[in-house]
Amino acid sequence: MMNQDSNDPDESEPDEADTEVATDRHIGITGFHLPPRFTRSVLPDIDTYIARTLEPWQKQMQAQLQSLIPDISSITKDLVEPLNRSILEQLQRNLPDTEALTRSITVPLNEQIQKQLASITVNLPTFSVPSISLPALKGLALSPVTESMIRRITDQQSTMLDGLRASLKPLLDPELLRGINRSFLPPNLKEYADDIRATEVHSFLEQEGIPLYLVPRGRTAVRLLQAKDRPTRRQILSNCYGSLIQDCADVLEDARESVIGSAVEFALDGLGAMRAGHTRSAQAMFTATLDTLIYEFYPDRRDRGLITNRKKGADVPNAIDEMGVSEALVWLPIWNAHEEFWKDKGDQVPHYYSRHASVHSVTPRQYSKRNCIQVLMLLTSLIGYAERMAR
């Protein structure tokens, strides 16, 4: 059932400022591949684990390759010692370099395996084994003996990689990967672990000022994640206006005894104004309360600036990349909502919620029902996070 927002011209039309970036905002990431810096924040020892897993295999591979490849210099010396030096040098130039041959086999192979292990994807249980590439031998007229040697090396590699795959099987179990994915999802999305990936949530929050931690309810969050662009996501805020208010109310009312009680009281006052139809007053109240709460978390001005000064087109700051999973899910959309806005430089007031535009440019373009519900969600997500920390 559509609520009153669908009849509001400002809320039912696509945002002008969003239309031109709609295709750039499309989220279509598959598999379970977390951004590298984010991965290190939750799995700090992954590089060490991969190195330790490959080290004995690499040593064994190197030793077996060396045992399979004959000592060309020794054989050459025994065969041609009676001949003169010039013939000996000519033969050596035309025989393969064993060290180069070994490197050509092991280096590309090790790089491929490391890349495959470092990318934790849902396809890992059936990952393909990289084949040996012998660029150093291309174009050479190989003798039957050399060709036989290469075949032995290839067979040996296949056997060794089968053993490597078997040893990694427990790590690559689909149920284990599903459990990892679920553990990275916020509480309101855990029951949807079969439908969405943690990497989709993280990518969404890297781009949007719409939170997904604690609010909204799972079904609405999935709709937001699956929306094709920003105008579609903002239309969902209109269509789900009533349920979003209720989702936030549920979290705020549970947080009454929080150590941040004053913030909860002002948030509930704003919620009352919003329910009475005074969305502009509520948006101003939510924005001021969000500012106050951010200060409580980051009293140091420099530290706070990392969250509240978002340059357009900037990468996620290290301060957020180094956070734990839940903490990053909370602060990413708040960081996005603080995208720079300079009225004195002629910046156009955005349709989507902007903390700086809400404070420095009170206009109907910025103050809307969509933006009011968006900043309520941001404030609720942060209050709920603070409440959980205090338990």
Side-chain angles (χ1 to χ4, degrees):
M1 179 175 176
M2 298 289 285
N3 59 58
Q4 59 181 325
D5 284 315
S6 61
N7 298 319
D8 189 328
D10 177 55
E11 303 297 351
S12 60
E13 295 298 322
D15 296 337
E16 297 171 15
D18 297 334
T19 304
E20 63 187 44
V21 299
T23 55
D24 293 335
R25 294 281 183 169
H26 178 64
I27 299 173
I29 298 177
T30 59
F32 190 79
H33 179 83
L34 293 172
R37 286 180 291 181
F38 182 72
T39 303
R40 286 197 296 271
S41 74
V42 294
L43 297 173
D45 295 327
I46 188 66
D47 291 336
T48 302
Y49 174 79
I50 292 173
R52 289 177 178 174
T53 300
L54 288 178
E55 184 178 8
W57 179 85
Q58 290 173 327
K59 290 181 178 179
Q60 183 184 5
M61 184 71 170
Q62 183 78 16
Q64 292 189 351
L65 282 173
Q66 290 177 344
S67 69
L68 290 170
I69 300 173
D71 185 347
I72 301 297
S73 299
S74 176
I75 294 174
T76 303
K77 183 177 180 181
D78 292 340
L79 290 174
V80 299
E81 190 171 16
L83 302 177
N84 63 46
R85 185 177 298 276
S86 62
I87 296 176
L88 174 59
E89 292 174 352
Q90 185 178 0
L91 283 171
Q92 289 178 328
R93 283 196 301 269
N94 287 281
L95 287 168
D97 183 341
T98 57
E99 291 187 6
L101 176 60
T102 302
R103 287 195 302 270
S104 71
I105 295 171
T106 58
V107 173
L109 180 61
N110 290 342
E111 291 175 353
Q112 291 177 62
I113 293 175
Q114 288 181 24
K115 289 178 181 178
Q116 288 188 328
L117 286 176
S119 298
I120 304 177
T121 69
V122 291
N123 297 317
L124 271 173
T126 56
F127 73 92
S128 59
V129 176
S131 60
I132 285 182
S133 174
L134 300 175
L137 300 180
K138 289 181 179 179
L140 289 178
L142 300 177
S143 68
V145 173
T146 303
E147 289 182 352
S148 175
M149 178 185 68
I150 297 301
R151 281 196 298 272
R152 290 171 60 194
I153 293 172
T154 303
D155 291 343
Q156 187 68 27
Q157 178 224 21
S158 178
T159 300
M160 294 173 65
L161 287 178
D162 285 342
L164 177 64
R165 176 161 36 197
S167 67
L168 292 175
K169 188 175 181 179
L171 177 65
L172 310 180
D173 182 82
E175 283 303 310
L176 175 60
L177 294 177
R178 180 182 180 277
I180 292 174
N181 179 56
R182 187 178 185 280
S183 69
F184 288 159
L185 293 174
N188 49 317
L189 282 173
K190 289 188 184 298
E191 66 178 284
Y192 295 88
D194 292 331
D195 303 316
I196 57 175
R197 305 294 177 195
T199 182
E200 292 175 296
V201 174
H202 193 268
S203 296
F204 178 96
L205 296 176
E206 281 187 335
Q207 304 175 58
E208 275 289 0
I210 300 174
L212 295 178
Y213 181 82
L214 298 183
V215 291
R217 65 189 63 182
R219 291 193 305 275
T220 306
V222 171
R223 288 181 61 187
L224 288 167
L225 284 165
Q226 294 176 345
K228 64 180 181 179
D229 51 31
R230 174 178 275 182
T232 305
R233 293 193 281 276
R234 285 178 52 75
Q235 186 61 49
I236 292 171
L237 297 183
S238 292
N239 297 344
C240 300
Y241 185 79
S243 66
L244 288 170
I245 290 178
Q246 188 58 51
D247 293 343
C248 292
D250 290 343
V251 174
L252 293 174
E253 288 165 2
D254 282 345
R256 282 185 180 274
E257 302 303 321
S258 170
V259 292
I260 50 168
S262 60
V264 176
E265 291 175 8
F266 281 103
L268 289 171
D269 281 351
L271 188 61
M274 191 177 186
R275 283 172 163 165
H278 305 300
T279 56
R280 292 177 177 177
S281 298
Q283 183 172 332
M285 174 68 80
F286 296 145
T287 299
T289 307
L290 181 63
D291 269 11
T292 301
L293 195 51
I294 291 173
Y295 179 87
E296 294 298 323
F297 273 89
Y298 292 99
D300 182 83
R301 183 175 182 178
R302 177 176 294 181
D303 292 340
R304 189 169 64 252
L306 298 175
I307 302 294
T308 60
N309 296 325
R310 187 208 190 287
K311 301 294 184 183
K312 291 180 180 178
D315 292 330
V316 176
N318 289 335
I320 294 180
D321 261 344
E322 294 169 358
M323 291 177 178
V325 180
S326 296
E327 189 179 7
L329 296 181
V330 172
W331 288 104
L332 273 170
I334 293 175
W335 172 70
N336 276 313
H338 283 78
E339 183 179 78
E340 63 182 343
F341 168 77
W342 299 98
K343 186 176 180 179
D344 57 346
K345 294 181 181 179
D347 287 352
Q348 185 181 40
V349 177
H351 271 293
Y352 53 86
Y353 177 73
S354 163
R355 179 273 175 193
H356 298 315
S358 287
V359 171
H360 301 295
S361 187
V362 179
T363 64
R365 184 181 177 91
Q366 174 60 204
Y367 277 77
S368 65
K369 290 178 181 178
R370 283 177 178 168
N371 290 348
C372 184
I373 195 66
Q374 187 175 341
V375 65
L376 170 61
M377 292 167 65
L378 287 168
L379 178 59
T380 301
S381 179
L382 184 56
I383 286 176
Y385 172 69
E387 166 71 11
R388 287 176 172 247
M389 287 180 60
R391 287 177 185 175

